[in-house]
Amino acid sequence: MNSFDISQPAMDEISGDFLSHENVNALIMPLYSLDISEKQQHNLQNCAESLGRHIGRRLRLERGAGIGAPLGVVEIPSGEAQHMIYDLYESYYQGTYKTLSVLAALTDAFNQVFGNMPTRSMKKFLDSVQNEEESLIKACQLLEKARQYRTLLDHPAGTQAFNWITHNKYDGRGIMVLHYGMSSRTGNIPEGAVPVGLGNFPVQADWVFDPPYVLDVDRSILQLARWMAGRLEASRDAV
């Protein structure tokens, strides 16, 4: 497959390290020393476990898709292996949404610290976070893109019919799964997708959805979790 552009931003624009079991423990463990209820302790435990499972999903996807491998090493596989990679991406982005939901639930458990943030809609939750913390605007925007991708995967009846291909630009992102399709009768395309320019895609399509770079998604989740832990640490007397 020839290389092609789909007008997406360059990878790795968000600084910071990745989610790891070590930095998750460093965030969560000190919070157990707060004067908190048993319910709040359960919420902290759920948060730590959810972040830990998310790390596992990322590691499996990294290995399966060759994310971060030396440039030019990873080749497009055939047949069953491509479907395996698709399943890994699907699991990762479904897990991203669930992890965001668990973090949102933590703000509800500690509403005396975070106020009444929206928790039923992850879009509204992310909007609320970036309205409160300017340093998280880029992270929340990237997580919103991940949410949109999960919506495309999980709600096919709510959008136009689409197909997918695997692609590797040999830029360190490894093998990517790109969804594409035609616009609706009224010209609409799925939320988060980008229009395809003439001759800019190897098959006929009006739109393509390139999921956010996995390692940047993890960095964004870590930034959000660090902000929340910092708020709780700074409010010891309030909880």
Side-chain angles (χ1 to χ4, degrees):
M1 181 183 298
N2 294 327
S3 179
F4 56 89
D5 275 327
I6 52 175
S7 302
Q8 290 296 97
M11 63 177 244
D12 230 0
E13 292 181 350
I14 295 180
S15 61
D17 51 359
F18 309 129
L19 277 172
S20 68
H21 294 294
E22 290 75 16
N23 54 38
V24 168
N25 286 337
L27 286 176
I28 302 297
M29 293 305 294
L31 302 179
Y32 284 108
S33 65
L34 298 172
D35 183 16
I36 57 179
S37 67
E38 185 176 356
K39 178 182 176 181
Q40 290 170 325
Q41 289 183 15
H42 288 163
N43 278 93
L44 287 175
Q45 183 178 352
N46 289 342
C47 185
E49 290 179 355
S50 182
L51 290 169
R53 285 191 290 270
H54 192 73
I55 292 166
R57 285 187 290 265
R58 188 202 79 223
L59 292 174
R60 289 189 290 274
L61 178 54
E62 279 190 82
R63 290 190 292 267
I67 296 171
L71 301 186
V73 170
V74 181
E75 297 293 336
I76 297 291
S78 59
E80 184 178 351
Q82 291 192 39
H83 287 276
M84 179 198 73
I85 292 171
Y86 184 103
D87 289 342
L88 289 171
Y89 270 102
E90 186 172 55
S91 173
Y92 178 82
Y93 283 98
Q94 288 171 336
T96 297
Y97 187 89
K98 183 174 181 180
T99 300
L100 288 175
S101 296
V102 171
L103 290 171
L106 193 65
T107 67
D108 185 58
F110 290 92
N111 63 355
Q112 67 271 52
V113 175
F114 295 100
N116 295 318
M117 300 187 76
T119 58
R120 293 184 178 274
S121 163
M122 290 307 97
K123 175 177 173 53
K124 292 180 179 179
F125 172 67
L126 292 170
D127 285 345
S128 179
V129 170
Q130 63 181 320
N131 286 338
E132 284 202 28
E133 181 54 52
E134 185 176 348
S135 68
L136 289 175
I137 290 177
K138 184 178 287 188
C140 287
Q141 289 174 343
L142 190 138
L143 291 171
E144 167 61 10
K145 184 79 171 183
R147 183 202 66 80
Q148 292 168 344
Y149 186 63
R150 177 261 181 185
T151 298
L152 180 73
L153 294 175
D154 276 10
H155 301 287
T159 187
Q160 299 86 335
F162 56 79
N163 208 333
W164 61 278
I165 60 172
T166 52
H167 173 57
N168 189 356
K169 291 178 69 175
Y170 303 102
D171 60 359
R173 289 183 62 179
I175 298 168
M176 298 175 287
V177 172
L178 307 178
H179 288 79
Y180 65 91
M182 307 303 291
S183 60
S184 70
R185 284 176 294 181
T186 57
N188 292 328
I189 65 175
E191 182 185 30
V194 295
V196 173
L198 185 64
N200 209 29
F201 203 64
V203 295
Q204 185 178 7
D206 292 330
W207 59 267
V208 61
F209 202 127
D210 178 19
Y213 180 42
V214 167
L215 299 186
D216 278 349
V217 174
D218 260 35
R219 290 187 181 109
S220 298
I221 292 173
L222 179 59
Q223 289 182 23
L224 176 57
R226 280 178 170 161
W227 172 75
M228 292 174 61
R231 285 280 297 269
L232 290 172
E233 281 281 12
S235 304
R236 282 183 172 270
D237 293 338
V239 300

